[in-house]
Amino acid sequence: MVVGEWRDDRIGSALRGENPAVMRRLEAGFAVIGDVQFLPGYSVLLTDDPAVERLSELPRSRRLAFLGDMERLGEAVERACRRVESGFRRVNLEILGNADGFLHAHVWPRYDWESEDLVRRPVWLYPREMWSEERYALGARHQSLRETIGEELDRLTG
């Protein structure tokens, strides 16, 4: 697979072990570090079934497993960001599904250093350039935080 193509098939590439953003395999999905890190620690829970578009399409037991994984990833991000990032406030959890046609949940850490006009508002209101500027792209400088989130997931799962 060519570098970057994994983004075209995030779940399939995770299932094949080719998605470099995967931090851990969980019960009903994959914990991945987000493509952008303007809020350090941003993570996503991907379903492990690429055919599933909505939470309601899963049988109840898988729904509960997915929601349990979402909660676990949220707590892991919270613990990791509290330990290694300054000004950590809280975590926001979202299942939206407006842009990507597969079930996934966003885990957004929020910080005291965010601007006053954004800190209490949805992350999606951040300026468009924040989503595409190279300085916010996931990179090697995020490896330590990524490892810390993974370690917290291991503690919560173990």
Side-chain angles (χ1 to χ4, degrees), residues 11 27-29 45-71 93-98 100-106:
I11 298 167
E27 184 179 349
L45 174 65
L46 301 175
T47 182
D48 59 6
D49 184 344
V52 172
E53 294 181 9
R54 297 168 196 81
L55 187 63
S56 60
E57 293 175 3
L58 292 172
R60 185 159 182 75
S61 63
R62 294 293 291 164
R63 255 185 242 181
L64 294 175
F66 185 84
L67 292 171
D69 286 350
M70 181 179 74
E71 176 274 329
L93 304 172
E94 302 175 312
I95 298 177
L96 301 170
N98 298 325
D100 294 312
F102 52 85
L103 176 61
H104 62 287
H106 301 272

Side-chain angles (χ1 to χ4, degrees), residues 6-7 10 21-23 30-46 73-74 76-78 80-82 84-85 88 90-97 99-100 102 104-111 113-114 122-124 126 128 130-132 136-139 142-143 145-147 149-150 153:
W6 62 269
R7 286 186 172 96
R10 292 177 187 270
V22 171
M23 294 183 287
F30 297 92
V32 301
I33 189 87
D35 291 355
V36 294
Q37 292 291 309
F38 57 85
L39 294 172
Y42 166 55
S43 300
V44 178
L45 174 65
L46 301 175
L73 179 56
V77 169
E78 180 177 326
C81 291
R82 186 175 284 133
V84 300
E85 293 292 329
F88 173 77
R90 64 179 311 115
V91 165
N92 294 156
L93 304 172
E94 302 175 312
I95 298 177
L96 301 170
D100 294 312
F102 52 85
H104 62 287
H106 301 272
V107 178
W108 287 104
R110 303 303 300 262
Y111 296 93
W113 47 256
E114 291 178 69
V123 170
W124 308 105
Y126 265 84
R128 269 321 317 141
M130 301 286 284
W131 302 85
S132 58
Y136 298 119
L138 178 65
H142 302 107
Q143 188 60 29
L145 180 55
R146 174 191 173 125
E147 289 172 4
I149 294 169
L153 279 168

